[in-house]
Amino acid sequence: MPLPQLSPEARAEALEKAKQARSARAALRNEIKNGEKKITDILMEKDDPVIDKIKVVNLIESLPGYGKAKALKLLDELGISETRRVKGLGDKQRAALIERLS
């Protein structure tokens, strides 16, 4: 299936929207890293487009003391796929993750 042809204006608008979304996710990860926000509070929020599209593994890696290996190990222990995004977490998975990280 070919991609739709966009006008230069529509393409520029889409690129700007994507850039803003990436910047918002990066800012959120920095706030977690700096201790300004708690990951448990973020996981409790629902229907936030910035939070919903972040991969869970990237969110965990933002925590001090967690790298790729430790984050993947935690997800494996909880039965969460490494490609799962926050929006795709089930209620039990979300509760288990909150419990483990609090």
Side-chain angles (χ1 to χ4, degrees):
M1 180 176 183
L3 294 174
Q5 295 296 323
L6 298 175
S7 68
E9 296 83 19
R11 179 173 164 71
E13 186 178 315
L15 288 171
E16 182 61 31
K17 185 178 176 184
K19 180 182 173 185
Q20 289 175 355
R22 285 191 306 272
S23 296
R25 289 191 297 269
L28 179 65
R29 287 192 306 268
N30 281 334
E31 288 175 354
I32 293 169
K33 182 179 180 180
N34 296 331
E36 297 168 18
K37 284 196 175 185
K38 291 185 178 183
I39 195 168
T40 53
D41 295 338
I42 291 168
L43 289 171
M44 287 184 201
E45 293 181 30
K46 295 210 176 188
D47 298 327
D48 185 340
V50 173
I51 295 169
D52 288 346
K53 293 187 179 181
I54 296 177
K55 286 189 178 183
V56 177
V57 69
N58 292 342
L59 201 59
I60 295 171
E61 287 175 14
S62 300
L63 290 169
Y66 279 85
K68 186 83 167 172
K70 199 169 183 181
L72 290 175
K73 182 180 177 189
L74 175 63
L75 291 179
D76 188 47
E77 290 172 0
L78 297 176
I80 300 172
S81 171
E82 66 181 81
T83 59
R84 178 75 60 201
R85 296 185 187 272
V86 173
K87 185 175 184 174
L89 286 174
D91 290 335
K92 290 181 182 178
Q93 290 175 326
R94 191 179 294 261
L97 195 55
I98 290 170
E99 181 182 328
R100 184 67 68 92
L101 294 174
S102 42

